[in-house]
């Protein structure tokens, strides 16, 4: 007996390699790499008066040799190398480029912007034109006479002292008994005393003066022979008492 066996033949077909597609370089976005550093705006603040504005730029350790500052009538530029830059344009008002200046410190740069027109800005930047510079006044002819301020002190009129003195003397002139029989009192006594003294001789004048002052005005004598003998006593009027003051 013959044994038959079915032979099973296994064949392996060679595996075909899938074709490789070339890569399209144009499908990939190109990324450009640059070495330029990013420019940074430094922190800053300001304070002002009517005459100038002080700008503080906080750039610690800045090298003065690498700093550039540019002043323009309505613009300001600060740059430290290629990494830091501050541009202020337009400025709120116009500045005096010749008078403006800056100083480099360890932690900041202090910039002094001198204003062309005095006044407060309130901000660094502003719209053009300069809001503080008003329109120019139209020219006008010079006045024929000098202008005097309203608050100027007016010159005081000069007094005629001669005329004033005569007026006072005339108003205060003592009336005599001939002018007014009712006149009396000290003015009459003084007038009589002056007339008597003016027309007396030397001894009489001495007697009048000595008796009047030593008696406290209570005695008036023209006899120098009598008065020269001693002190003239005080003789107050009857019913009155003499008292020395002081």
């Amino acid at each position: 007996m013959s044994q038959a066996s079915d032979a099973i033949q296994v064949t392996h077909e060679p595996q075909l390699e899938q074709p490789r597609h070339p890569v399209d370089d144009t499908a990939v976005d190109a990324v450009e790499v640059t070495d330029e550093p990013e420019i940074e705006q430094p922190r800053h603040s300001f304070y002002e008066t009517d005459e100038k504005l002080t700008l503080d730029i906080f750039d610690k350790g800045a090298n003065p040799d690498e700093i550039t500052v540019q002043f323009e009538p309505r613009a300001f530029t600060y740059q430290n190398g290629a990494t830091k830059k501050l541009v202020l344009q337009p400025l709120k008002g116009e500045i005096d480029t010749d008078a403006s200046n800056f100083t480099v410190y360890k932690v900041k740069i202090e910039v002094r912007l001198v204003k062309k027109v005095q006044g407060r800005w309130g901000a660094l930047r502003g719209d053009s034109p300069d809001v503080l510079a008003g329109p120019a006044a139209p020219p006008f002819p010079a006045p024929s006479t000098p202008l005097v301020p309203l608050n100027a002190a007016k010159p005081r009129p000069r007094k005629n002292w001669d005329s004033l003195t005569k007026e006072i003397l005339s108003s205060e002139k003592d009336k005599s008994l001939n002018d007014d029989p009712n006149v009396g009192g000290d003015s009459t006594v003084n007038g009589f005393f002056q007339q008597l003294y003016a027309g007396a001789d030397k001894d009489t004048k001495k007697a009048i003066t000595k008796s009047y002052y030593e008696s406290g005005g209570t005695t008036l004598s023209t006899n120098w022979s009598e008065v020269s003998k001693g002190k003239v006593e005080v003789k107050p009027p009857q019913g009155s008492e003499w008292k020395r003051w002081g």
Side-chain angles (χ1 to χ4, degrees), residues 80-138:
N80 182 1
T83 59
K84 293 182 180 180
K85 187 175 184 179
L86 174 64
V87 179
L88 302 175
Q89 185 180 12
L91 292 172
K92 186 73 173 181
E94 186 174 351
I95 64 172
D96 187 341
T97 57
D98 295 331
S100 300
N101 55 78
F102 70 98
T103 304
V104 179
Y105 296 105
K106 292 183 178 180
V107 296
K108 69 175 183 178
I109 291 82
E110 183 178 285
V111 183
R112 292 166 289 275
L113 304 176
V114 179
K115 302 175 181 178
K116 276 281 190 179
V117 179
Q118 292 189 4
R120 300 300 177 101
W121 290 2
L124 290 172
R125 297 179 177 89
D127 297 330
S128 296
D130 190 347
V131 295
L132 294 179

Side-chain angles (χ1 to χ4, degrees), residues 10-240:
V10 179
T11 59
H12 297 279
E13 294 181 357
Q15 187 176 0
L16 298 177
E17 185 178 358
Q18 297 294 331
R20 296 181 180 180
H21 298 285
V23 178
D24 186 3
D25 293 337
T26 61
V28 180
D29 295 334
V31 178
E32 184 179 359
V33 179
T34 61
D35 295 332
E36 295 182 0
E38 182 179 356
I39 298 177
E40 175 188 355
Q41 177 176 287
R43 185 170 61 91
H44 57 279
S45 64
F46 76 94
Y47 59 92
E48 63 175 331
T49 63
D50 289 339
E51 294 77 18
K52 68 179 179 179
L53 182 143
T54 302
L55 173 67
D56 289 331
I57 302 175
F58 300 98
D59 193 359
K60 185 177 181 180
N63 186 353
D65 296 333
E66 298 180 0
I67 291 177
T68 56
V69 172
Q70 184 177 3
F71 296 105
E72 298 179 47
R74 292 295 303 279
F76 167 78
T77 303
Y78 166 83
Q79 186 165 354
N80 182 1
T83 59
K84 293 182 180 180
K85 187 175 184 179
L86 174 64
V87 179
L88 302 175
Q89 185 180 12
L91 292 172
K92 186 73 173 181
E94 186 174 351
I95 64 172
D96 187 341
T97 57
D98 295 331
S100 300
N101 55 78
F102 70 98
T103 304
V104 179
Y105 296 105
K106 292 183 178 180
V107 296
K108 69 175 183 178
I109 291 82
E110 183 178 285
V111 183
R112 292 166 289 275
L113 304 176
V114 179
K115 302 175 181 178
K116 276 281 190 179
V117 179
Q118 292 189 4
R120 300 300 177 101
W121 290 2
L124 290 172
R125 297 179 177 89
D127 297 330
S128 296
D130 190 347
V131 295
L132 294 179
F140 57 90
S144 57
T145 57
L147 299 177
V148 180
L150 296 177
N151 58 351
K154 296 181 179 180
R156 296 182 179 180
R158 294 184 178 181
K159 293 183 178 180
N160 189 336
W161 292 108
D162 293 337
S163 176
L164 186 60
T165 302
K166 291 179 180 179
E167 182 180 349
I168 294 174
L169 292 176
S170 175
S171 62
E172 295 185 355
K173 183 179 180 180
D174 294 334
K175 294 182 180 181
S176 63
L177 292 175
N178 295 329
D179 298 331
D180 186 359
N182 296 321
V183 72
D186 293 340
S187 61
T188 302
V189 174
N190 291 337
F192 172 74
F193 178 81
Q194 292 174 2
Q195 293 178 4
L196 180 64
Y197 188 86
D201 56 19
K202 184 177 181 179
D203 289 341
T204 302
K205 289 182 178 180
K206 290 194 296 183
I208 292 174
T209 303
K210 187 174 185 298
S211 62
Y212 185 81
Y213 283 101
E214 290 184 351
S215 68
T218 60
T219 300
L220 185 63
S221 175
T222 59
N223 190 346
W224 175 246
S225 299
E226 182 182 351
V227 172
S228 62
K229 294 179 180 179
K231 183 178 181 180
V232 181
E233 297 180 0
V234 177
K235 295 179 181 181
Q238 187 176 1
S240 59

